[in-house]
Amino acid sequence: EAGVAQSPRYKIIEKRQSVAFWCNPISGHATLYWYQQILGQGPKLLIQFQNNGVVDDSQLPKDRFSAERLKGVDSTLKIQPAKLEDSAVYLCASSLRGWNEQFFGPGTRLTVL
Amino acid sequence: AQSVTQLGSHVSVSEGALVLLRCNYSSSVPPYLFWYVQYPNQGLQLLLKYTSAATLVKGINGFEAEFKKSETSFHLTKPSAHMSDAAEYFCAVSDPNTNAGKSTFGDGTTLTVKP
């Protein structure tokens, strides 16, 4: 079974630039998550999709972050414009249902200079 | 609301010694509980999970955890540490009563294993 795929693995940008991350979940998984993991902290949920609908985006900074999940499969997370404090690892995960175990991708390490 | 507290952001043990990583949770409903491990530059990987069946849960790599409702705890243990166990460990809680139950993660415990 193929795992959760993410790209790119690393990204370095200047502040005020924009960046996009891509995630392909495990086939058949209805729930998809985007997390932000700052060094030394646990994953913080940014947005949770159930199929292609948003279940929870309460911690997503909507003035600069946006996310979509096309046709209930792949998802993209965008930051525009980026700030220094956005430097973090962005993890994508998927699960069969929201309360099930989550399967994580390798993450994208973002550095904002 | 649910939350997770991991006591001790860093734990250091000698190879062959007992590993004990602490996790306490808060949840308004009977929760599902998970332990994940994260190796450097990788995503999180499930070690074990509690889903309201047996309170003593066995996972991969010799780890186990015990759900204690009275103590609201789900501590992770391994009888004998190996060098390869050095990693970051995260405890998580989720609400199984909704189809889209939200998971909350602790801040993690970094395990160092000394030779």
Side-chain angles (χ1 to χ4, degrees):
Chain A
E1 170 178 270
V4 176
Q6 287 188 250
S7 68
R9 289 295 313 276
Y10 304 91
K11 190 74 176 179
I12 300 173
I13 61 173
E14 305 256 334
K15 62 182 178 182
R16 291 188 289 273
Q17 286 187 322
S18 63
V19 65
F21 312 128
W22 173 82
C23 173
N24 180 242
I26 292 174
S27 177
H29 281 194
T31 310
L32 184 146
Y33 314 78
W34 282 103
Y35 290 93
Q36 181 191 59
Q37 186 178 23
I38 292 172
L39 187 65
Q41 298 180 19
K44 174 186 131 182
L45 181 69
L46 291 175
I47 189 167
Q48 178 179 343
F49 292 94
Q50 182 81 358
N51 297 309
N52 58 356
V54 175
V55 171
D56 185 343
D57 64 356
S58 57
Q59 298 194 83
L60 186 74
K62 298 180 185 64
D63 58 334
R64 299 185 300 106
F65 286 64
S66 64
E68 61 180 2
R69 188 179 185 192
L70 301 174
K71 300 180 182 178
V73 183
D74 290 8
S75 178
T76 56
L77 175 71
K78 296 179 182 178
I79 307 175
Q80 182 180 12
K83 293 185 175 181
L84 296 177
E85 59 260 36
D86 298 332
S87 294
V89 175
Y90 291 84
L91 294 166
C92 179
S94 69
S95 66
L96 280 171
R97 292 291 183 269
W99 39 259
N100 279 141
E101 66 188 87
Q102 297 179 37
F103 294 81
F104 284 80
T108 297
R109 183 177 299 277
L110 174 67
T111 301
V112 182
L113 303 176
Chain B
Q2 59 191 21
S3 66
V4 172
T5 301
Q6 291 186 240
L7 297 173
S9 58
H10 291 86
V11 170
S12 180
V13 301
S14 297
E15 191 173 20
L18 171 72
V19 176
L20 171 61
L21 304 183
R22 300 177 186 274
C23 171
N24 287 89
Y25 70 91
S26 172
S27 176
S28 57
V29 299
Y32 282 7
L33 294 158
F34 307 85
W35 275 100
Y36 290 86
V37 62
Q38 186 177 31
Y39 298 103
N41 298 316
Q42 296 184 28
L44 281 69
Q45 175 187 355
L46 183 71
L47 272 179
L48 49 80
K49 61 182 178 181
Y50 166 76
T51 56
S52 74
T55 56
L56 182 62
V57 180
K58 295 187 183 298
I60 62 172
N61 301 338
F63 284 93
E64 62 182 36
E66 186 172 8
F67 172 68
K68 292 187 177 181
K69 183 178 178 181
S70 61
E71 299 177 9
T72 60
S73 69
F74 190 57
H75 301 332
L76 181 71
T77 61
K78 181 174 180 177
S80 177
H82 192 274
M83 297 296 290
S84 61
D85 294 327
E88 190 154 21
Y89 293 79
F90 294 94
C91 183
V93 59
S94 70
D95 177 358
N97 292 332
T98 61
N99 193 40
K102 176 180 176 179
S103 289
T104 302
F105 285 79
D107 281 336
T109 297
T110 300
L111 176 66
T112 301
V113 182
K114 299 175 292 185

